[in-house]
Amino acid sequence: MFRRSIPVRPDLKQQAEYFGFEFATIDGDVYWDESAYYQFTLAQIENDIEDPTNELEQMCLQAVDKVVNDDYWLKQFAIPEKFWSLITRSWQQKEPSLYGRMDFSYHGKGPAKLLEYNADTPTSIYEAAFFQWMWLEQQVDRAILPRQADQFNSIQERLIKRFSELNLKHQLSFCYSDGSTEDKGTVTYLQDCAYQAGIATARFPIEEIGVDDKGQLLDPEETPINHIFKLYPWEDLFKDAFSKHLNKTHTRFIEPEWKAILSNKALLPLLWQMFPNHPNLLPAYFANNVGDGLENGYVQKPIFGREGANITWHHPTKGRLHSEGCYGEEGYIVQALAPLPVFNGNHTLIGSWLVNHQSCGLTIREDDSPITQDSSRFIPHIILG
């Protein structure tokens, strides 16, 4: 695993504008950063990322089965009791998953360590699946990269295939939080994949969803929504005013309700309890009941937390680092510290994509801080050797 500098395409701005990559820069700062790339060997990808991701996914599904069948764990996951049956039903009925992204600390040798699982509303998929692949093709065509350079990236093909497998009989509505350019861009990309799979689609802000007197969700044209993809976390939806309709509506969700288990940081101590000393897991505990394995530092994370907010990073010699945010009301977990590798001063996080429970591509993010956030830079990658 190497980080190498490379010329930025002289027409990058035009490429981003033409392909609708409106968040290539965020607040004037570079988000899509192609001034460098990461190079992996095929063995590193297959043995250290792809295979562990697939194995961890099966472990995570075992964890979901344990949680939905045990009130103790549903409480530990801070799931409101009035939604327990909703989550359990979606699991028992095997409602289909679309995608997810596991985040790892990985140095290029030795086991990748799972930091968290963004299984409900992960972003960065447009740039990982499409813009990253286009970058590779163009840099190869321009002889900037060698002809044999490849990329771990079958994300788009898998998404289109997965949408076709859902066998939806009605329109699929794609919803995003109004005002977020990144969320809108992510949903627009997924909508296009569904369209390529032959599915009738619509797209609108989640704020425009209505409800009739029977509790059925309605689109802006006041037509009942049969299927919805929502880029809106389940834990937020459980607190939303609309949550009172969830147990009545006939709308089916992508991602399904049981994904609320996987996107929850309580998953980490449960996995450690179910699979102790697994090479791809870190010791993890609920904050009020810690155990062994934290001697070399630890990270405290809110049970419901996103985008690097409310993280406290404890290093035995480098001290403490904290990120502000609005999470933590439901409590915290602690996880043994696996510091991100540092390349040229950049802290590097590996995101491993799954579609239909199968590993299929990478997102790589860099930050000046050991705690990555939503604005952390996206760096493309290649496979060579």
Side-chain angles (χ1 to χ4, degrees):
M1 179 180 178
F2 300 99
R3 185 185 191 276
R4 298 186 185 280
S5 297
I6 186 172
V8 174
R9 289 171 291 174
D11 57 346
L12 170 60
K13 183 178 179 182
Q14 292 80 5
Q15 295 273 354
E17 290 176 352
Y18 180 79
F19 289 104
F21 192 3
E22 297 181 6
F23 52 101
T25 59
I26 298 178
D27 297 330
D29 294 328
V30 171
Y31 166 64
W32 168 267
D33 184 357
E34 61 175 53
S35 65
Y37 66 89
Y38 282 87
Q39 178 177 322
F40 298 86
T41 66
L42 183 60
Q44 287 173 328
I45 293 293
E46 291 182 340
N47 300 334
D48 296 346
I49 304 295
E50 184 177 13
D51 289 347
T53 298
N54 289 329
E55 182 178 350
L56 287 168
E57 174 72 355
Q58 295 307 309
M59 294 158 57
C60 287
L61 295 179
Q62 293 182 51
V64 174
D65 193 62
K66 185 178 184 67
V67 174
V68 300
N69 287 297
D70 191 328
D71 292 355
Y72 168 80
W73 281 107
L74 285 165
K75 290 179 181 176
Q76 289 290 88
F77 276 62
I79 303 292
E81 187 171 353
K82 60 183 177 181
F83 300 118
W84 288 3
S85 60
L86 193 69
I87 291 172
T88 300
R89 185 190 67 193
S90 74
W91 174 251
Q92 292 174 340
Q93 293 182 349
K94 299 181 179 179
E95 294 196 359
S97 162
L98 178 63
Y99 75 143
R101 193 194 70 232
M102 294 182 184
D103 287 344
F104 291 104
S105 177
Y106 176 61
H107 301 70
K109 52 186 177 183
K113 298 293 187 181
L114 178 67
L115 301 181
E116 62 182 46
Y117 190 4
N118 302 289
D120 184 16
T121 59
T123 56
S124 85
I125 195 162
Y126 164 78
E127 50 271 44
F130 177 76
F131 209 75
Q132 179 178 219
W133 180 257
M134 191 174 65
W135 165 85
L136 173 67
E137 288 189 325
Q138 292 184 354
Q139 294 292 49
V140 168
D141 290 343
R142 298 174 188 188
I144 305 298
L145 287 172
R147 179 63 56 185
Q148 64 270 33
D150 200 355
Q151 194 172 84
F152 180 40
N153 190 355
S154 60
I155 304 171
Q156 181 160 305
E157 294 88 339
R158 299 287 186 94
L159 282 170
I160 295 170
K161 183 173 186 292
R162 184 54 171 163
F163 276 120
S164 69
E165 292 169 346
L166 296 179
N167 197 28
L168 303 182
K169 305 300 184 186
H170 302 281
Q171 176 178 279
L172 174 58
S173 297
F174 286 82
C175 296
Y176 57 94
S177 296
D178 200 10
S180 172
T181 303
E182 181 184 11
D183 285 7
K184 184 178 180 181
T186 299
V187 163
T188 301
Y189 171 69
L190 291 170
Q191 181 189 16
D192 183 65
C193 290
Y195 174 79
Q196 293 187 57
I199 297 174
T201 67
R203 183 182 71 247
F204 46 84
I206 199 165
E207 291 82 359
E208 295 184 9
I209 293 177
V211 60
D212 65 15
D213 55 6
K214 297 179 181 177
Q216 176 61 36
L217 302 188
L218 306 174
D219 68 15
E221 305 300 323
E222 298 194 347
T223 302
I225 300 173
N226 292 289
H227 306 288
I228 185 171
F229 171 91
K230 48 142 200 70
L231 204 62
Y232 190 63
W234 273 112
E235 66 267 23
D236 290 345
L237 188 51
F238 289 151
K239 297 178 181 177
D240 194 282
F242 269 82
S243 66
K244 62 185 178 184
H245 304 296
L246 289 174
N247 284 309
K248 295 185 290 184
T249 184
H250 296 296
T251 302
R252 303 316 318 146
F253 289 85
I254 300 172
E255 303 288 340
E257 291 86 345
W258 61 263
K259 280 297 195 78
I261 305 298
L262 291 186
S263 60
N264 189 310
K265 300 298 187 298
L267 177 70
L268 299 169
L270 174 57
L271 285 174
W272 185 248
Q273 187 178 115
M274 293 176 67
F275 308 98
N277 302 312
H278 188 282
N280 298 112
L281 295 178
L282 293 162
Y285 309 94
F286 290 95
N288 59 359
N289 187 26
V290 300
D292 296 334
L294 308 180
E295 299 79 14
N296 294 319
Y298 63 91
V299 179
Q300 179 173 290
K301 304 177 179 181
I303 287 177
F304 292 154
R306 290 175 178 269
E307 299 175 337
N310 300 99
I311 301 292
T312 304
W313 189 89
H314 298 263
H315 191 281
T317 59
K318 297 179 180 178
R320 176 182 180 274
L321 190 64
H322 178 71
S323 62
E324 299 295 333
C326 59
Y327 302 105
E329 179 183 349
E330 293 79 12
Y332 290 85
I333 65 104
V334 292
Q335 182 184 46
L337 182 64
L340 299 179
V342 180
F343 295 85
N344 293 357
N346 301 289
H347 301 264
T348 304
L349 177 72
I350 303 294
S352 179
W353 287 101
L354 302 101
V355 175
N356 189 18
H357 310 292
Q358 290 294 311
S359 175
C360 58
L362 293 186
T363 275
I364 300 177
R365 306 287 293 274
E366 285 185 345
D367 204 289
D368 299 335
S369 166
I371 302 174
T372 57
Q373 303 195 28
D374 59 340
S375 58
S376 298
R377 300 174 294 278
F378 188 110
I379 311 293
H381 80 277
I382 71 168
I383 302 172
L384 195 63

